Amino acid sequence: METGKSLAVESGAATVTPHGSPARPSGLEGLKSHFTEKDPEGGPRWFAFWKHNFCIRENANFGTWDGVFPTCLAHLLNVIVFLRTGFIVAKAGVLLSFTISIICVLFASVTILSAVGILRRSSVECRDVYHILSVTLGTRTASAVGLVYAFTHVASSALHVLGMGELIVGIYYDTVDHDWAVRAVASGCLLLLTALNVVGIKWIIRAQYIIVILIALGVGDFFVGALFRKIPEFGVEGPSSWQLQENLYQSTPSWRDYFQSLGIFFPSTVGVLVGFNIAADLRDPHRSIPKGTFAALFCSMGVHFLFILLLGASVIRSYLLEHPHTVVRMAAIQVFIILAIFVSSFASGMGAIFNASRILARIAKETSIPGLRKLDWVVSRWSTAGSLNN
């Protein structure tokens, strides 16, 4: 066998290495060709290099537990669960906080069951949420609804980066009263996540297991600290039936406080359909999506129930209202809970930006809405082989 053939494989008009990246001369000439030559698709070679190494070009063949479950869980155990559960308990009480979590799970379950029903009855292979909308409503209506759905992900990404900003500023200043500092840090995080999405997110999808492990360590860190730590200066008295009784109901019965708390927690379920957006990268989407999504949904609900119970049984109500970082302070080591919040916000924010851009790209490809058609170049350059081009 010739040496040249062992080092490179011919693919159409282009010569590519066995790993798929374009072959080019070495040394200075290679560096020059890397930025000047064109690939067979019409773009520069450096673009093909980034696309291969950082973007998903082929189906990844994920399953239930290595694809759908960790992806959904990372979106459901988000910054709202970590930083706003204490406020919800203080406003609504422990019992009504349980009902808030149950209501959100019920709404999410109805949405999942509807999407699964369409997925299983569709004669065309499902690619993402937009495909479900187009099969059900038609292309034009699906485009309108898809725009709204895309912008919910945009709003969700803003929520997550604000949580990252609040966490970073809170650690530095030990308070979150510096509103402009929080907004500045959040804006920087948003720009960073957007840049990473432009570069590619293959690595973040491959790292879902690591993200879930870090979140699990953060949750465990909080549970251990909540059971054994006492911090009287921040109202943490340790678990007791007396404190649970004090926080069991609303201090002043008010439907306004209840619906305010419901409105705060409800956006945490926005990412419940994220498993459908990776349908093209699954071995068996009809089986993996419902199992993985419901497993993640009920797992996150169980974790949220334990957060509500431990916060209600351990912390004085007034401190829950005034200190959003009570969960961090209660943790045994605190490093793990900080990493969990940061990683969860990072993954959820990045996923929200990616899903929004992916849906907009699909709409641009299949609709005639003025202005959006210009985004069709995104489809041809950044689409995955199994998601947008099928």
Side-chain angles (χ1 to χ4, degrees), residues 298-312:
F298 290 117
C299 181
S300 65
M301 184 182 73
V303 172
H304 189 233
F305 271 20
L306 290 175
F307 267 70
I308 293 170
L309 187 62
L310 288 172
L311 287 168

Side-chain angles (χ1 to χ4, degrees), residues 173-248:
Y173 289 108
D174 198 29
T175 180
V176 292
D177 293 334
H178 299 77
D179 292 339
W180 286 107
V182 172
R183 293 168 188 169
V185 173
S187 299
C189 292
L190 182 60
L191 291 174
L192 174 62
L193 294 182
T194 303
L196 290 175
N197 266 282
V198 171
V199 170
I201 65 164
K202 176 190 284 188
W203 59 276
I204 197 72
I205 293 179
R206 299 291 185 185
Q208 290 297 325
Y209 266 140
I210 299 174
I211 292 171
V212 171
I213 289 172
L214 289 174
I215 293 174
L217 288 173
V219 171
D221 188 16
F222 168 74
F223 287 163
V224 172
L227 291 173
F228 299 106
R229 287 196 74 186
K230 292 184 179 181
I231 316 172
E233 62 270 23
F234 291 108
V236 181
E237 303 291 343
S240 67
S241 57
W242 173 83
Q243 190 62 59
L244 180 61
Q245 185 65 32
E246 286 290 317
N247 292 329
L248 197 60

